[in-house]
Amino acid sequence: MFDDRYTLAYKLYPYERSADQDKDTPVRHPVVVMGGGPIGIATALDLGLQGIPVVVLDDHEGVGMGSRAICFAKRCLEIADRYGCGEPMLDKGVVWNVGKVFHKDDQVFEFNLLPEEGHKYPAFINLQQPYFESFQIERLRELQAQGAPIEIRGKNRIDNVTVKEDHVVLEVSTPDGPYTMEADWLVGCDGASSPLREMLGYDFTGKVFQDSFLIADIKMKGDVDFPTERWFWFEPSHGEGASMLLHRQPDDVWRVDFQIGWDVDRKEEMKEENIRRRLDAFLKGVEYDMVWSSIYTFQCKRMDSFLQGRVFFAGDAAHQVSPFGARGANSGMQDVDNLGWKLGMVIEGKAPESLLDTYNTERVHGADENILNSTRSTDFITPKSAMSTLLRDSVLALSEHYEFARPMVNSGRLSVPCTYDGSALNSADALDGPARTRPGSPCPDVPLGDGYLLSKLGNEFILLTIDTDAPDEIEESGITVRRLALSTHDDPSLLLKERYLGDCPAGVYLIRPDQHVAARRPNFDENQIRAAIRRATGKE
Amino acid sequence: MSDLILTPNIDGVDDFYAELIATHEGLSDADSQALNARLVLVMANHIGDRATLSQALAAAALKSEE
C-alpha cells in the first residue's frame, strides 16, 4: 500500500500524524513543497529563513541510498552557505584540482584547474548526495528549533492535485489513510520523473539524448594510493563504452562511471560479476569492495514553462541534463535561489505576482544554457557522425602535443552560474566596471579581513557601496534595502577592486537577495536607485 | 614573419566547435571530406604567410616537437 520506491540511507523524518489529518475542512498553507530531495529541502530552507510558513511533503522518510549527484559547484555551495549549511559540506567534501584525460587508454594530457584565489568556496567539491541532503536536514532542524515555520512530513504522498484560480487542492496519502490539504502555492521538486508533471499533464520536451551510465562506488583494499584527481577516458578499451570517469569521494570511496549506451540489458549489466569484469579490466589486480552501484539513464529535456498558474517546478522536475558538467543538482539549487525571495515577497505583499514570471524567464535561460553545454559535451563524447568522430579524435591527438587543442576537449564543462543578461529585473549598466559583475551576474566572492563578501550580503536586498557615500537604509515601496559600505582598503588582496570596480574609482551596486547584481552605478543617485529597486521587484 | 600560434587563441571555442560540427551535419562522408579540404584552403589563404603555413603543415603532421 505504501511501499518505499528506494532504500533509505538515513531515516530522518519518520511519519507522524499531522493535525491537518484530523480537521473536517482542509487546512490551507501558504506554500507546499512536493519532494524532500536536495531541491525541495533547499526551498524549505530559503522560505523558512524568510519566516514564510512552508510544508514539505515527501513520500519517503529520509534520504535515499547511493552517492548519485557527487559534484557540487561553487555557486551551489555559496547558496548552501546562505542557508547556513555550506561549511559542513565543504569540511566533508573532497577538493580536487588536477585532471587527466585519456584516449583509448593513453594519457593525452593533464591539467590543473588553478582555482581563482579569494573565494570562500572552491570551484567544486565531491560529496555523496546523502551527505549533502543530511547537512540540509540538520540545518532545517536547527532552524525549526529557532522557530522557523518549516514542517516536513514523511510518508506523505501527493496522489492528486487540483489547480484552482488562487490555490491548489492536494489529495495526500499516508500510512493512516488519505487527507486533503490546500496550498496557495505548490512547488514541485519531485525529480526527473516528476509525478506532479505527469498528474498535471505538462510536456517535457527538447533535444533528446539517450544514454546510460553504470555507476560503481568502490573502496580499494590494502595499500593503494590513487591520487585525488579526476581521470576521464574517451573510448576506454577496458570500459567497452564511450567514456569512463574515475573520481574520488569522501570516506575513501571512488566513483567509477561507465558510459555504456542506451540499448543495454540493465539487469545483466547490474550483476556484480559484470560490474567487476569492467572494473577489473582497468584496476588490474587491485582488490576492492563494492559500496553501491546503479544504472543511470538521462535525457536532455525541459518543460516549456517552470511556472504554471499556482504551481512551480524546480530542479530535475523542470529540466534534465546529461551528467557531464555537474549541472543537475547544481542548477536545481540555483532555481531555488531564484524562486525563494520572489515567492517570499509576493506572499508578504511586497511585490506583485508578475515578479514570479521572472522565475520562469531567468531559470529557463539557465536551463537552456545548461542543456546547450551538456549537449555539446555529449556530442564530443559520443560523436554522431564519422566526421564528428574524426574531428574529435583529431582534437585529442593534437591535445597531446599542443596546448591550443586542450580547451577544445570537452568531457563536461563544469557548472558555472548563469548570468541573467537581458532580465526585466536588471537596470541598464551605468558603471564602466568589469563584465563579470554586470547586471544579472551572480556576485563573485571577495575576501574581507577574516570573512567574505557573500556572507555579508546575506538574504536580502543590499546596496553595496565601494568608496562612495549613500544612506544606511532606503525604503522603497515596502522594500527595505540595507547599505553595506566597503572600501577597497578593506581588501588588501585588491580583489574587491578587481572584481567590482576595474578602473573605476568607486561603485554602487544594488544586489538581489539571491546575490545577483540588479543594478550598478558610479555613485549613489537616489532616483536611479529607487527606480532600480522597483524594477528588481517587478514594479517598473 | 610570425610564428604559428599553438596556444589557445579562439574566444568561445565551444561555440566554434559546435558550428564546425553543425556545418558538417547531414553531409555524406565524401562531401564532409570535401568541405574540410575547402576549409583548409580558405584558412591557408587567410593566414597567407608562407613560413607560418609550413609550420602549420608540420604541426598537423605532429612533427614539430621532434
Side-chain angles (χ1 to χ4, degrees), chain A residues 355-366:
Chain A
L355 178 63
L356 300 171
D357 295 335
T358 66
Y359 164 67
N360 181 52
T361 48
E362 291 185 337
R363 291 315 299 162
V364 159
H365 178 73

Side-chain angles (χ1 to χ4, degrees), chain A residues 423-434:
Chain A
S423 169
L425 304 185
N426 296 348
S427 294
D429 193 358
L431 183 76
D432 192 19

Side-chain angles (χ1 to χ4, degrees), chain A residues 207 372-373 376 379-380 385-388 390-393 395 397-398 400-405 407-408 410 413, chain B residues 5-10 13-18 20-21 24-25 29 32-33 36 58-60 62-65:
Chain A
K207 191 167 175 176
L372 177 71
N373 274 292
R376 286 176 175 176
D379 280 340
F380 194 88
S385 69
M387 182 52 69
S388 189
L390 183 62
L391 285 167
R392 193 278 309 270
D393 289 351
V395 166
L398 287 165
E400 191 176 347
H401 299 267
Y402 310 115
E403 201 190 324
F404 86 87
M408 295 180 179
N410 192 340
R413 297 287 181 238
Chain B
I5 298 167
L6 286 170
T7 49
N9 193 38
I10 306 174
V13 72
D14 283 352
D15 289 335
F16 162 70
Y17 195 82
L20 176 60
I21 299 298
H24 281 281
E25 221 166 70
D29 285 358
S32 247
Q33 292 198 28
N36 271 353
L62 302 177
K63 280 178 185 159
S64 67
E65 288 182 333

Side-chain angles (χ1 to χ4, degrees), chain A residues 114-339:
Chain A
L114 296 173
E116 192 182 64
E117 291 298 309
H119 296 259
K120 178 169 177 182
Y121 287 93
F124 31 82
I125 59 167
N126 288 355
L127 181 70
Q128 294 91 328
Q129 188 175 330
Y131 281 123
F132 187 90
E133 295 186 53
S134 300
F135 293 134
Q136 286 184 304
I137 303 272
E138 263 173 47
R139 178 59 179 150
L140 185 146
R141 295 298 187 207
E142 201 176 280
L143 288 173
Q144 281 177 325
Q146 293 164 13
I150 308 174
E151 217 190 304
I152 179 163
R153 298 182 187 170
K155 273 214 176 9
N156 272 240
R157 186 181 67 215
I158 298 179
D159 285 339
N160 192 41
V161 176
T162 311
V163 182
K164 306 277 188 184
E165 203 187 319
D166 64 348
H167 70 285
V168 294
V169 181
L170 309 169
E171 308 290 340
V172 183
S173 288
T174 74
D176 284 341
Y179 71 104
T180 303
M181 67 192 289
E182 295 178 352
D184 291 336
W185 302 96
L186 176 65
V187 188
C189 307
D190 53 339
S193 59
S194 176
L196 179 61
R197 207 179 52 221
E198 293 284 309
M199 272 181 239
L200 298 177
Y202 293 120
D203 284 343
F204 199 45
T205 53
K207 191 167 175 176
V208 176
F209 286 101
Q210 298 189 126
D211 217 319
S212 30
F213 292 80
L214 176 65
I215 299 172
D217 280 359
I218 58 173
K219 226 171 173 160
M220 308 209 202
K221 290 189 201 169
D223 244 356
V224 186
D225 198 17
F226 262 73
T228 304
E229 298 172 353
R230 176 188 195 260
W231 290 10
F232 191 94
W233 283 260
F234 290 95
E235 300 180 300
S237 65
H238 43 65
E240 303 157 36
S243 75
M244 192 182 114
L245 176 70
L246 178 72
H247 228 172
R248 185 178 208 154
Q249 305 174 64
D251 305 333
D252 295 318
V253 173
W254 292 86
R255 158 69 76 85
V256 191
D257 282 356
F258 298 100
Q259 190 182 356
I260 57 172
W262 180 252
D263 291 317
V264 290
D265 182 341
R266 292 176 66 129
K267 221 168 150 186
E268 194 60 25
E269 294 292 347
M270 279 295 285
K271 284 185 183 161
E272 179 159 344
E273 75 238 40
N274 286 329
I275 300 175
R276 281 192 176 269
R277 180 177 49 78
R278 288 178 187 274
L279 289 165
D280 289 345
F282 90 96
L283 286 170
K284 295 186 180 80
V286 174
E287 297 262 305
Y288 56 88
D289 288 323
M290 306 257 304
V291 178
W292 179 71
S293 62
S294 172
I295 285 191
Y296 168 86
T297 58
F298 77 88
Q299 300 174 318
C300 284
K301 288 182 169 186
R302 75 161 168 86
M303 295 180 71
D304 290 335
S305 173
F306 301 165
L307 167 59
Q308 310 274 4
R310 290 263 150 179
V311 184
F312 301 94
F313 290 85
D316 283 359
H319 43 75
Q320 207 196 354
V321 294
S322 84
F324 304 119
R327 290 165 181 271
N330 286 307
S331 66
M333 287 290 282
Q334 290 167 57
D335 291 344
V336 176
D337 194 35
N338 190 290
L339 176 60

